[in-house]
Amino acid sequence: MSISDWHRAEIKRLFFGEHWKVAAIAAHLGLHDDTVKRVVDIDSFSPPGRPRPSALDPYVDFMGSTLKQYPKLTATRLHQMLRARGCKVSAIQVRRRIRKDGLRPRPRSEAFFRLKVLPGEQAQVDWGYFGQIQVGRTLRKLWLFVMVLSWSRAFEVYFSLDQTMAAVMRGHLAAFRHFGGVARNSLYDNMKTVVIERVGDAIRFHSRLLELSGHYLFAPYPCAPGRGNEKGRVEVRIKDLRRSFFAGRRFVDLEDLQRQFVQWREEVAYQRRCPDALDLTVAQALELERQSLLPLPEHDIDCDDVRGTVARKQPYVIYDTNRYSIPHGLVGEPLTVAVGEHTVR
């Protein structure tokens, strides 16, 4: 029922000022009791009902202290711990009680400084997964190795069917050739092909990555665990590749995809403004940054994937599910397989 402002004021005066009862006010003004109750918000004056006891009540302190020590502990695991202590409740009840009582500590919001780098100082590296493609009669995973120069935002992509160390090295080599030089530092996610082992700040890099960095004179640095924001430039580039380049695109093979990528990069991505130098396009910023990059060595490093193997009974060796013939006299002998981008030796 809609009532006038005068009625609202009169109800409040009689209830709060004159201390009339609801029924008396309703009868005096010719209104329904519920209308008067709604105006004075009578429910706020009602004493709260006594909470019903719960089987979880004796365990609330234990739940709170456990979640304080292990904030990411799941409600399902906490339910198992409570059951082991004799509490017979469901996991749903545990989840509701955590939410109702606010037992799980909320993570504090972190503040991040904007990364500022000098030209030629840093490159960021990561892999991106881009679904599957048809290779012959087989579906293979498509991976993109992406390297971005942090100042100019220039980048290179290497399309690969695997994430082997050989593919990592070929991706580096393709990027160095495109940039015309090498950034002094390279920042990596903790990918297994780069970081073999890590305990805190103690890091053991892959021996071939150290060989690569020694040949091209750059320093490798891994991100801190769980700190993907440290390499935000390459993360943004991978998202851009998904949305602006790869979505809805058709291609015949990896070579065709590479040609289309180069055209898109030069005509679209490199015509955007450089965020650290808004008066320049990315292409113009790259030309300036090339002056600050380390020069390329006279000879490129060997990027072949070298593996040891033995042909047990048949004159074939197997690499990447394919069979390659060898002289029959080498059956049973220890062999070395060297696989380049287009050759198998």
Side-chain angles (χ1 to χ4, degrees):
M1 176 181 178
S2 177
I3 60 174
S4 65
D5 292 340
W6 179 86
H7 279 100
R8 294 179 183 277
E10 188 67 7
I11 291 171
K12 291 180 180 179
R13 184 186 70 81
L14 294 174
F15 185 83
F16 295 107
E18 302 297 337
H19 305 294
W20 284 25
K21 293 186 180 297
V22 171
I25 298 173
H28 176 68
L29 298 177
L31 301 172
H32 195 280
D33 289 3
D34 290 344
T35 303
V36 177
K37 290 178 181 179
R38 186 173 66 251
V39 172
V40 300
D41 193 15
I42 197 67
D43 291 339
S44 64
F45 299 96
S46 303
R50 181 177 297 176
R52 297 175 58 184
S54 168
L56 279 171
D57 290 344
Y59 301 93
V60 170
D61 291 341
F62 167 76
M63 294 168 62
S65 60
T66 303
L67 289 173
K68 184 176 181 181
Q69 187 175 3
Y70 306 102
K72 295 184 178 181
L73 190 72
T74 64
T76 304
R77 176 62 187 130
L78 186 58
H79 171 248
Q80 295 170 356
M81 297 169 69
L82 292 172
R83 296 277 293 187
R85 287 163 173 77
C87 181
K88 297 181 180 180
V89 296
S90 68
I92 294 177
Q93 290 175 283
V94 174
R95 190 174 293 110
R96 287 175 178 169
R97 190 61 178 264
I98 292 173
R99 184 166 55 249
K100 177 185 174 184
D101 292 0
L103 298 178
R104 189 185 300 279
R106 292 185 177 182
R108 293 184 177 180
S109 298
E110 294 185 78
F112 301 102
F113 289 106
R114 177 176 170 79
L115 176 65
K116 283 284 188 179
V117 295
L118 297 173
E121 189 68 22
Q122 185 194 76
Q124 296 185 4
V125 181
D126 203 358
W127 283 101
Y129 173 63
F130 280 70
Q132 295 181 319
I133 64 170
Q134 189 78 30
V135 179
R137 293 177 295 176
T138 306
L139 280 177
R140 299 291 302 271
K141 293 180 178 180
L142 176 62
W143 298 94
L144 267 65
F145 173 95
V146 184
M147 178 180 284
V148 178
L149 292 178
S150 294
W151 184 77
S152 66
R153 305 307 201 277
F155 63 99
E156 175 64 308
V157 167
Y158 175 75
F159 298 94
S160 176
L161 301 179
D162 56 51
Q163 289 181 290
T164 61
M165 193 62 214
V168 172
M169 296 180 71
R170 291 172 191 144
H172 278 82
L173 185 55
F176 296 158
R177 287 171 175 169
H178 171 63
F179 299 148
V182 182
R184 286 164 172 76
N185 305 304
S186 286
L187 188 64
Y188 301 88
D189 200 352
N190 290 276
M191 56 182 75
K192 294 181 180 179
T193 45
V194 171
V195 178
I196 300 298
E197 184 179 11
R198 178 171 190 159
V199 180
D201 293 331
I203 300 164
R204 182 160 68 93
F205 287 105
H206 195 290
S207 59
R208 295 213 71 189
L209 180 75
L210 296 177
E211 180 185 355
L212 181 72
S213 64
H215 188 83
Y216 291 96
L217 306 180
F218 68 91
Y221 290 99
C223 293
R227 298 281 181 168
N229 60 286
E230 294 182 359
K231 55 178 182 62
R233 285 163 167 78
V234 69
E235 295 281 1
V236 168
R237 180 55 55 213
I238 291 175
K239 290 180 182 178
D240 182 45
L241 284 163
R242 292 188 197 282
R243 299 169 183 171
S244 181
F245 168 69
F246 202 76
R249 187 170 296 273
R250 297 181 179 274
F251 54 92
V252 177
D253 50 26
L254 291 184
E255 288 74 16
D256 180 35
L257 185 59
Q258 179 69 34
R259 286 192 295 269
Q260 293 187 44
F261 160 71
V262 171
Q263 181 180 2
W264 171 84
R265 180 181 61 192
E266 300 301 323
E267 296 179 357
V268 179
Y270 273 17
Q271 300 311 310
R272 297 168 180 162
R273 292 292 165 183
C274 173
D276 287 342
L278 292 176
D279 57 329
L280 302 175
T281 64
V282 173
Q284 293 168 338
L286 173 59
E287 290 301 319
L288 285 178
E289 188 164 22
R290 280 178 171 146
Q291 303 172 19
S292 302
L293 296 173
L294 296 171
L296 293 173
E298 185 175 353
H299 301 288
D300 290 329
I301 196 170
D302 184 4
C303 296
D304 285 357
D305 185 10
V306 180
R307 303 183 184 184
T309 187
V310 175
R312 296 296 180 184
K313 295 181 178 181
Q314 297 179 336
Y316 301 100
V317 294
I318 300 175
Y319 180 87
D320 196 20
T321 71
N322 294 318
R323 293 175 178 270
Y324 298 92
S325 61
I326 59 173
H328 65 85
L330 297 179
V331 172
E333 299 292 331
L335 304 172
T336 299
V337 180
V339 181
E341 194 162 11
H342 303 291
T343 60
V344 177
R345 295 183 286 115

